[in-house]
Amino acid sequence: IDIDARIEPAPDGDPADVDKTEVQISGSGSSVRIESNYDAVLPHVRWFGASRDLPRVHYTISMPATARLDVSGHNARVKVNGLRSDVAVDSHNGTVDVVDLDGAATVETHNGDISIGFARFAKASRIETHNGSVQVTVPADTRLHVDASAHHLGVESDFGVAATRVSDSHYSGDVNGGGPELRVSTHNGALKLR
């Protein structure tokens, strides 16, 4: 595994906080954990009280394509490319872009768009966003069952879908005769199936 971490000050932060930010790496024989540690970054007094503008840590991680990847972040933009295993992403604010995936995807973000391109869709996958749109790209011969829900759902599909349920808030049906389930949930957003 190769890990590159670049730390830069927050837009309104103190440049000295960069040196107080630590990248912690721990692991065992089968897993590695990479974490940004801000314990030494103290609040700064401003006109309207104290604030804690944390430095931004940008990670570039190269890992075996067959290893499982779990990412958890608060204000993270996540990009994954060429994974041949399962991926799980939990990001409160940020976009998620997964390309050339051959494994299951479990992706949640509160505010952000999600784009997932599957090289092969052979496992059930779940994608959730509260405020954001979801785009899923699969090979043309993919067999899957789509189950999508939203407050007001908009669906665009490049596939003929044998719909079993269609309403303002729910859309489900089979693509190419059905297969593993693709479950999508968004409160304010749309689903694009390409």
Side-chain angles (χ1 to χ4, degrees):
I1 293 179
D2 183 40
I3 303 164
D4 178 55
R6 181 174 44 89
I7 305 171
E8 60 185 37
D12 294 325
D14 183 347
D17 288 341
V18 169
D19 293 332
K20 297 175 185 174
T21 302
E22 294 182 14
V23 173
Q24 297 178 331
I25 302 170
S26 59
S28 64
S30 63
S31 68
V32 174
R33 180 180 177 90
I34 306 160
E35 188 172 10
S36 304
N37 183 322
Y38 298 105
D39 290 347
V41 178
L42 301 175
H44 299 282
V45 177
R46 309 251 192 244
W47 282 97
F48 299 105
S51 69
R52 193 167 177 232
D53 297 316
L54 300 176
R56 309 294 189 244
V57 182
H58 303 273
Y59 291 101
T60 302
I61 302 167
S62 299
M63 56 184 258
T66 55
R68 177 179 166 81
L69 177 63
D70 293 312
V71 178
S72 178
H74 184 72
N75 292 314
R77 189 176 82 208
V78 178
K79 292 183 177 184
V80 177
N81 190 352
L83 194 60
R84 298 293 176 256
S85 186
D86 299 344
V87 62
V89 178
D90 185 0
S91 175
H92 184 76
N93 294 314
T95 59
V96 178
D97 186 17
V98 179
V99 179
D100 195 28
L101 176 65
D102 186 355
T106 304
V107 179
E108 295 181 39
T109 182
H110 186 77
N111 295 309
D113 293 336
I114 300 171
S115 176
I116 301 181
F118 286 92
R120 186 171 69 108
F121 189 86
K123 294 182 174 182
S125 294
R126 183 177 54 81
I127 304 164
E128 295 182 27
T129 180
H130 186 77
N131 292 310
S133 294
V134 175
Q135 179 169 308
V136 177
T137 305
V138 296
D141 62 348
T142 297
R143 299 170 57 96
L144 63 90
H145 175 79
V146 62
D147 188 349
S149 61
H151 186 65
H152 293 288
L153 181 64
V155 176
E156 293 179 27
S157 178
D158 290 350
F159 296 91
V161 178
T164 56
R165 183 173 177 192
V166 178
S167 70
D168 286 346
S169 62
H170 199 146
Y171 182 87
S172 65
D174 292 334
V175 172
N176 293 328
E181 183 175 68
L182 171 63
R183 181 176 296 271
V184 176
S185 175
T186 178
H187 184 77
N188 295 313
L191 167 63
K192 295 177 183 176
L193 186 58
R194 307 282 183 229

